[in-house]
Amino acid sequence: MGKMELLAPAGSFEIFKIAVNSGADAVYISGKNFGARAFAENFTTEEIKKSVEYGHLNNVKVFITINTLINNFEIIDILKYVFKLYKIGVDAIIVQDFGVLKLIQSLFPKIKIHSSTQMTINNFYSSYWAVENGISRIIFPRELSIDEITDINKKLKEKNLNVELEVFSHGALCYSISGNCYISSYNNGRSGNRGACTQPCRRQYNLKYKGHKVDEGYLLSTYDLNTINNLKLLENAGIDSIKLEGRMKSSDYVSTVVNSYKNILDGNEGDYIHDLNMVFNRKFTNGYLLNEKPGNVMGRESSGHKGFYIGEVVELKENLISDSRYDKKNKNSESNKSNNNSNNRNNKNYNYKNFENNKNKNYEDNKNYENSKNYKKNKLENEGYEKEFTEKTVKVLKKNKVDINIGDGIAFEMGDKIKGIYLDNIISQNDSQITFKTTRNLRIGDKVYVSYSHLIHKELKKIKKEYIQSKIAVSLKIKLNSDLTATIDVKFNLNNKKYEFNYKSSEKFEKAINRPTTLEDIEKQLFKTGNTPFYIDNIQLSDYLDDLYIPISSLNKIRREIIKEGEKILLNHYKTDKKESNKAKTKLNHFIKQYKSLDYTIEKKRLNVSVFVDNIKQLKVASDYPLKKIYFDPSYLYTTQESFFENIEETLVEAGKNITTSELVWVLPSFISDSEIIKSKEIFNNLREKGIPISIISENPGLDKVFDTNIYGNHNLNVWNSFSCEILNESNFKSLILSSELSKDEIKEISKKSNLDIEYELLVHGNLEVITSKDDFSNLKNEYTQKNEKGETTEKKDNSLKMENGLDYAILEDKKRKKFKYKVFFDFNKKSHIINKDCLCLIDELGKIANLGLDSIILDCRYSNENYTSNIISLYLKGLDNLNKKNLIALKNEIQNISQSYLTKGNFLEGRLHEN
């Protein structure tokens, strides 16, 4: 196998060392701020510096994640932080925010920039755009298939566009495409785009359709990605780096996963699948990357780690055990102390949820302990009472061949609960069965898993210590001088760059009195480069006389001094030199001074109104009002891709004929593929020939190379700052919908800090989309009988959700928080679009919005009917005619009367309250 980079995660310096020592070629980490894992331990600047030095001495690269969205108030702080990283000599920065990309390119052009998966570079045209804008590596979304990546790579090479390609190859999968999820932000005040996701996808839900319960469980939870058996396919697709997910994971997890993938990449044999099963996983899938269907990616039966399935309990024998270890008379005896310790070990139970993460020992049996019967019982025991309990001898019939060892964690699936023990005794074991003892209240048929490996954890101890791996070959050419000192020419290569230096020893050879120093003696000492970055590959020694002597201590000193000089060169190779650093600092200070002085006057002007609609009836109603743009999203009108592209041209022609005063804007499909772009271009050209003027809106940069028309930026571009506006304006976007996660103050700062020829728009009304996913709700746990509104059976039993038409929807209900109900729509690609339970309504804030420097407000009337659409447009136009607060509140009351959802102001007034 060729050399794909193995890129490992680390959430702390201790785990960073483990990742390096386990064989990672590169490690990605985050500082205390601006990373997408806000709840990881993360790194101080000093720890980053220490990590970079340790990594580089081991010939391992270090990438820093700045993969969150940044507002204008944070610009100076983030640039000062990037400057520190620049001086430290990090190998690359992973970026999500378009504005951060532009700023780093402008101020620190020598830093390599990797586009985060959240940037959603998912087709050739966005990849082309990425290369043109200074991206050195594209991290593709997890939803992209290997076939699509192969095609993108081929087209990039045809255009002589050089860029590295990276994919996630192992670990957790986000339910939402590219991690662009807003459900946590809108409903919990903690934005996934700021690293503060509350993981609503791991909760339990009910799925309902037309009032009937379809399924229940962890319906949005995915299996974990595992590509270890298909690495050759990734290499053949042109992948340069495979990334392992897990900055929130334990040291056992990181060491095991890195070691397993490293051995496979190096062609070493071993049962590495078994090792991967022993650390945290939600069962494995090949993922969308390897063309799995959505139903095979989703793990709806569980959201946590169960472990590797062993088999079922087939036999139980109970014994009543009398334990007098708490008898007052005997409790101080050495023998009882010993028995006490033994019993504690044999019967130590653990809370599975805590055990699965290896985080702490807060056992489930101790929950609310002081109020429990056990507490009172134990109190009596401590006062001198005897304790009795039932011990069970358990026989498990193995369905999978796996060896269980003392100290392993065994988990029991008991109904919908997982309980476990650390195994401290094994009575018998062979390939077909295992017998052991436990005090757990088990039943015949309970499923048994092994979920923790004592041996793997034991192996971890060997790689926890700091040590340097000798990876860089060095050649030495030794020449003796006339004064019997040695001049040594030292050469080595580092990242395709040749280094050479001359070393002159202070130590001298001398005439041998007894045994002379041989060439073999010299080589033996110089070869001892353990725990250093170098190994001696070749030694040449010319004109050496066989009657010379030099002490071994002197040879060791020569070796140490050569290594020390080599390490200095190695570390300086990565660091920014002082001249470049001073130049960058001057440039940064000048920028900061200018930025602080920027304060463009915001002109108060009447806001335009635009609207999103998803069918012709709505469009006809909307065209009766004085709207600037009608964003027409026909993605939900058809149930297959074939029917969409067969009929969409006719639909757009009809739409164009019904619009006379407003601008018709075609909302391109979300996560649009190259094949869909080509088909859409053909339709666009046909419409132009028919005299139908049409514009385009998309979340993909680079489409100006495809469509010769006005191109507008959709909300999934995640525009959070004025520099994002600047780079997207340069990319020929004519308007941008600013992020709905922003507060009014953050929006105003964008206007104050920019003076661009581009329009700013804001979504002010609608049940906003919180998730777009490739999940088609197939492979549900339960088969169900589909019924119509009359309760009549319309189809036979099935285990996938089938809706009657494109504008139909299902309901996703949080099992514990019943008020959290979301509508689920399918587009023509069977992607699911989950719509927020609450309706954003800012009509009573129009007075404030008018002062933010915006050009238009947008009403999202998709997923509603034409009457509602007409009413909402009419009410907002009335609001703009009279911004008196009393009038606006009255209009909001009217909206409340016709709304089926709770009205919310989202993050507009106070921002994301709980993200810190």
Side-chain angles (χ1 to χ4, degrees):
M1 193 176 293
K3 188 59 178 173
M4 284 190 296
E5 174 188 86
L6 180 59
L7 177 54
S12 69
F13 180 64
E14 288 304 309
I15 294 181
F16 177 89
K17 289 185 295 182
I18 288 167
V20 171
N21 297 345
S22 299
D25 300 308
V27 183
Y28 64 103
I29 64 177
S30 176
K32 292 294 184 181
N33 299 306
F34 311 122
R37 294 293 182 272
F39 304 117
E41 185 177 332
N42 292 323
F43 293 68
T44 64
T45 304
E46 278 305 307
E47 286 174 327
I48 291 174
K49 186 176 181 180
K50 190 163 60 168
S51 300
V52 168
E53 184 169 310
Y54 185 71
H56 288 166
L57 286 173
N58 279 285
N59 202 25
V60 170
K61 295 178 180 178
V62 183
F63 306 144
I64 309 297
T65 62
I66 304 183
N67 54 341
T68 57
L69 300 172
I70 308 301
N71 64 45
N72 271 90
F73 296 112
E74 299 165 323
I75 293 295
I76 293 175
D77 287 340
I78 200 168
L79 289 176
K80 287 180 177 179
Y81 173 54
V82 172
F83 178 60
K84 289 177 183 177
L85 300 178
Y86 181 59
K87 288 197 297 180
I88 289 170
V90 303
D91 295 280
I93 293 177
I94 302 170
V95 169
Q96 173 187 6
D97 191 289
F98 292 110
V100 174
L101 164 63
K102 179 170 181 60
L103 287 167
I104 295 176
Q105 274 289 97
S106 302
L107 296 170
F108 312 102
K110 292 191 176 182
I111 293 183
K112 289 185 177 180
I113 303 173
H114 299 175
S115 65
S116 166
T117 182
Q118 292 108 311
M119 199 178 270
T120 320
I121 306 298
N122 71 297
N123 52 52
F124 166 68
Y125 294 99
S126 55
S127 299
Y128 196 157
W129 176 92
V131 178
E132 287 186 321
N133 283 274
I135 298 290
S136 64
R137 177 183 293 187
I138 297 168
I139 306 172
F140 284 124
R142 294 168 172 89
E143 293 76 17
L144 216 56
S145 74
I146 194 168
D147 300 326
E148 291 171 306
I149 291 170
T150 301
D151 187 55
I152 292 169
N153 184 41
K154 180 182 176 183
K155 290 176 180 176
L156 289 169
K157 290 189 181 319
E158 288 172 355
K159 291 285 185 180
N160 294 316
L161 298 170
N162 295 317
V163 64
E164 294 177 345
L165 307 180
E166 176 183 309
V167 296
F168 279 90
S169 65
H170 192 94
L173 294 170
C174 188
Y175 182 76
S176 183
I177 289 177
S178 287
N180 281 319
C181 177
Y182 308 95
I183 192 169
S184 177
S185 176
Y186 293 164
N187 294 307
N188 301 102
R190 282 170 40 176
S191 172
N193 283 310
R194 302 276 281 180
C197 180
T198 56
Q199 291 200 307
C201 55
R202 304 298 180 186
R203 296 182 64 84
Q204 290 191 22
Y205 292 91
N206 295 317
L207 182 65
K208 298 179 179 180
Y209 180 61
K210 293 189 181 298
H212 299 279
K213 187 174 179 179
V214 173
D215 205 357
E216 62 181 349
Y218 298 93
L219 301 181
L220 308 186
S221 188
T222 55
Y223 292 131
D224 283 1
L225 181 64
N226 183 342
T227 65
I228 199 166
N229 290 328
N230 295 283
L231 297 183
K232 192 65 181 177
L233 289 176
L234 301 185
E235 183 183 41
N236 293 340
I239 300 301
D240 298 290
S241 177
I242 54 171
K243 174 180 276 184
L244 312 175
E245 180 273 339
R247 278 188 290 143
M248 297 283 287
K249 299 286 177 50
S250 69
S251 52
D252 281 19
Y253 175 91
V254 172
S255 64
T256 303
V257 176
V258 172
N259 178 70
S260 299
Y261 274 81
K262 182 66 174 178
N263 276 288
I264 294 296
L265 286 170
D266 288 348
N268 300 326
E269 293 184 359
D271 191 3
Y272 300 110
I273 290 293
H274 171 266
D275 292 350
L276 293 175
N277 277 312
M278 291 300 103
V279 294
F280 186 96
N281 69 82
R282 300 178 179 91
K283 293 189 179 179
F284 292 124
T285 174
N286 288 323
Y288 300 118
L289 177 64
L290 293 168
N291 297 306
E292 286 284 14
K293 294 181 179 179
N296 295 328
V297 174
M298 301 306 302
R300 308 188 202 277
E301 67 274 12
S302 173
S303 67
H305 175 58
K306 290 182 181 178
F308 184 67
Y309 181 56
I310 304 172
E312 294 182 357
V313 175
V314 294
E315 186 178 307
L316 287 172
K317 292 181 181 178
E318 296 186 356
N319 298 304
L320 188 64
I321 305 296
S322 177
D323 186 352
S324 59
R325 57 187 150 158
Y326 293 110
D327 191 322
K328 271 185 168 182
K329 296 178 182 178
N330 299 317
K331 70 177 181 179
N332 292 320
S333 70
E334 290 302 316
S335 61
N336 275 337
K337 282 184 181 180
S338 175
N339 289 335
N340 187 355
N341 290 336
S342 175
N343 277 320
N344 276 334
R345 286 196 304 272
N346 285 327
N347 297 295
K348 185 182 286 185
N349 297 329
Y350 60 80
N351 175 336
Y352 190 77
K353 289 184 179 178
N354 291 325
F355 171 77
E356 70 183 7
N357 291 305
N358 295 315
K359 295 269 177 120
N360 55 52
K361 306 283 185 185
N362 293 324
Y363 298 119
E364 181 175 287
D365 294 339
N366 291 334
K367 195 181 292 180
N368 298 320
Y369 186 62
E370 292 188 4
N371 294 322
S372 68
K373 292 180 180 178
N374 288 336
Y375 172 73
K376 296 169 184 175
K377 184 178 179 181
N378 287 340
K379 186 177 179 183
L380 291 173
E381 288 166 359
N382 283 325
E383 292 171 355
Y385 286 82
E386 191 175 81
K387 178 182 178 183
E388 291 185 341
F389 59 91
T390 302
E391 183 180 67
K392 297 178 180 65
T393 300
V394 182
K395 184 177 181 180
V396 175
L397 186 65
K398 290 184 179 179
K399 296 293 180 69
N400 287 308
K401 183 179 177 181
V402 57
D403 288 330
I404 311 300
N405 299 290
I406 297 294
D408 286 353
I410 302 295
F412 307 104
E413 189 172 16
M414 303 159 68
D416 60 350
K417 293 183 179 180
I418 302 288
K419 305 271 184 162
I421 61 170
Y422 292 108
L423 195 61
D424 208 3
N425 66 82
I426 296 176
I427 298 172
S428 66
Q429 179 178 205
N430 55 38
D431 288 348
S432 61
Q433 65 86 27
I434 180 172
T435 304
F436 53 87
K437 291 183 178 181
T438 181
T439 57
R440 282 291 186 194
N441 188 24
L442 301 178
R443 298 166 299 180
I444 299 292
D446 282 347
K447 294 182 178 179
V448 184
Y449 301 81
V450 54
S451 53
Y452 172 81
S453 169
H454 174 68
L455 294 180
I456 286 177
H457 186 72
K458 190 176 179 181
E459 285 295 310
L460 177 64
K461 294 177 182 177
K462 299 177 182 179
I463 57 171
K464 277 189 172 182
K465 293 182 180 179
E466 291 185 31
Y467 69 93
I468 308 302
Q469 301 168 59
S470 303
K471 296 181 179 179
I472 302 170
V474 175
S475 66
L476 305 178
K477 190 173 183 180
I478 306 172
K479 181 180 179 183
L480 286 183
N481 302 315
S482 57
D483 62 353
L484 295 185
T485 60
T487 297
I488 303 177
D489 185 31
V490 185
K491 294 181 180 179
F492 62 90
N493 291 329
L494 186 59
N495 298 334
N496 298 319
K497 185 175 181 180
K498 293 182 179 180
Y499 283 99
E500 182 176 358
F501 66 90
N502 285 310
Y503 166 83
K504 185 174 181 181
S505 70
S506 58
E507 306 294 312
K508 291 185 177 182
F509 286 78
E510 57 188 47
K511 291 292 181 179
I513 296 173
N514 296 312
R515 179 182 178 276
T517 301
T518 66
L519 289 173
E520 288 77 15
D521 293 332
I522 294 171
E523 289 178 345
K524 181 180 178 181
Q525 296 310 123
L526 295 184
F527 277 136
K528 292 179 178 180
T529 61
N531 201 28
T532 79
F534 305 103
Y535 66 92
I536 307 301
D537 184 48
N538 180 42
I539 297 178
Q540 295 180 34
L541 182 56
S542 58
D543 302 325
Y544 184 68
L545 302 175
D546 58 7
D547 62 345
L548 297 178
Y549 171 78
I550 188 170
I552 288 176
S553 60
S554 296
L555 288 173
N556 290 340
K557 183 180 178 183
I558 289 170
R559 183 192 67 240
R560 286 194 301 268
E561 290 178 349
I562 289 172
I563 294 297
K564 186 177 180 180
E565 182 62 25
E567 287 180 347
K568 183 179 176 183
I569 291 171
L570 187 157
L571 292 175
N572 286 335
H573 168 83
Y574 295 97
K575 289 179 182 176
T576 305
D577 64 53
K578 198 167 184 180
K579 185 179 177 182
E580 285 295 325
S581 178
N582 290 336
K583 185 178 175 183
K585 187 174 183 180
T586 300
K587 200 172 181 181
L588 175 60
N589 288 338
H590 178 69
F591 169 85
I592 291 173
K593 186 177 179 181
Q594 275 193 323
Y595 181 73
K596 285 181 176 179
S597 67
L598 282 179
D599 191 9
Y600 293 108
T601 303
I602 297 176
E603 296 181 12
K604 188 171 182 178
K605 54 188 176 183
R606 180 182 171 87
L607 291 164
N608 293 304
V609 180
S610 296
V611 64
F612 272 99
V613 297
D614 56 21
N615 62 72
I616 293 294
K617 289 181 179 179
Q618 280 183 308
L619 183 140
K620 288 179 179 179
V621 167
S623 65
D624 291 335
Y625 293 95
L627 304 176
K628 183 162 188 182
K629 300 171 193 165
I630 297 180
Y631 292 113
F632 181 43
D633 184 357
S635 300
Y636 308 96
L637 294 177
Y638 306 97
T639 56
T640 66
Q641 188 175 114
E642 292 75 18
S643 61
F644 177 85
F645 283 108
E646 283 174 8
N647 296 285
I648 188 61
E649 183 177 327
E650 183 181 337
T651 302
L652 291 170
V653 168
E654 185 180 0
K657 289 179 179 178
N658 279 284
I659 293 180
T660 54
T661 57
S662 304
E663 180 181 1
L664 175 61
V665 184
W666 180 11
V667 181
L668 290 182
S670 60
F671 203 67
I672 190 168
S673 66
D674 281 317
S675 62
E676 290 171 338
I677 289 173
I678 292 168
K679 292 175 183 176
S680 298
K681 182 181 179 181
E682 293 174 1
I683 291 164
F684 172 82
N685 290 339
N686 292 340
L687 292 171
R688 173 163 284 183
E689 289 177 7
K690 293 176 180 178
I692 304 293
I694 195 166
S695 302
I696 297 293
I697 185 170
S698 175
E699 66 264 22
N700 251 194
L703 292 183
D704 55 316
K705 287 182 168 59
V706 182
F707 299 98
D708 181 20
T709 187
N710 291 331
I711 296 178
Y712 304 123
N714 212 340
H715 71 98
N716 275 341
L717 278 169
N718 288 317
V719 176
W720 273 54
N721 59 69
S722 59
F723 297 97
S724 291
C725 299
E726 193 173 324
I727 191 173
L728 294 172
N729 184 34
E730 292 166 359
S731 304
N732 295 316
F733 283 97
K734 302 301 181 186
S735 74
L736 298 169
I737 301 176
L738 303 183
S739 172
S740 300
E741 293 191 86
L742 295 175
S743 69
K744 66 182 189 319
D745 296 329
E746 291 169 320
I747 295 167
K748 190 171 186 177
E749 199 68 10
I750 292 176
S751 298
K752 286 171 64 178
K753 296 295 185 182
S754 61
N755 186 25
L756 304 170
D757 184 22
I758 192 170
E759 295 178 353
Y760 297 151
E761 300 182 284
L762 182 69
L763 283 161
V764 299
H765 189 92
N767 290 84
L768 305 185
E769 183 179 274
V770 290
I771 289 177
T772 303
S773 174
K774 286 192 76 171
D775 182 20
D776 59 3
F777 285 89
S778 58
N779 197 22
L780 298 173
K781 287 193 305 175
N782 301 319
E783 289 186 346
Y784 70 98
T785 303
Q786 195 138 313
K787 297 182 179 181
N788 59 24
E789 292 177 352
K790 297 178 180 179
E792 299 167 336
T793 300
T794 56
E795 289 190 24
K796 294 181 180 179
K797 287 186 176 182
D798 197 356
N799 67 343
S800 61
L801 177 63
K802 290 183 173 66
M803 292 191 273
E804 292 174 6
N805 60 68
L807 291 174
D808 209 352
Y809 63 88
I811 295 291
L812 195 67
E813 176 188 73
D814 191 307
K815 284 193 75 171
K816 290 187 177 179
R817 302 180 297 175
K818 299 290 187 181
K819 68 176 184 178
F820 283 71
K821 296 180 181 180
Y822 307 92
K823 290 183 179 179
V824 181
F825 292 85
F826 287 153
D827 65 18
F828 66 87
N829 273 321
K830 217 63 187 303
K831 293 190 189 82
S832 55
H833 297 254
I834 299 178
I835 311 307
N836 198 26
K837 63 183 179 63
D838 298 333
C839 177
L840 178 68
C841 179
L842 297 179
I843 193 167
D844 55 331
E845 301 297 340
L846 286 177
K848 292 186 178 73
I849 293 170
N851 295 315
L852 297 181
L854 301 170
D855 295 277
S856 297
I857 58 171
I858 300 177
L859 314 175
D860 192 347
C861 293
R862 289 174 293 186
Y863 328 115
S864 65
N865 58 44
E866 57 270 28
N867 290 331
Y868 179 85
T869 302
S870 179
N871 285 327
I872 293 299
I873 295 172
S874 174
L875 291 169
Y876 271 87
L877 288 173
K878 287 178 182 177
L880 291 174
D881 286 336
N882 180 5
L883 294 174
N884 178 275
K885 190 67 175 180
K886 188 175 180 180
N887 176 57
L888 296 178
I889 291 173
L891 294 173
K892 184 169 186 176
N893 289 334
E894 289 190 50
I895 291 177
Q896 183 66 73
N897 291 334
I898 62 171
S899 177
Q900 295 181 348
S901 303
Y902 173 79
L903 301 184
T904 178
K905 294 184 182 181
N907 299 323
F908 180 76
L909 292 180
E910 297 179 299
R912 300 152 306 282
L913 290 175
H914 304 295
E915 71 177 19
N916 293 321

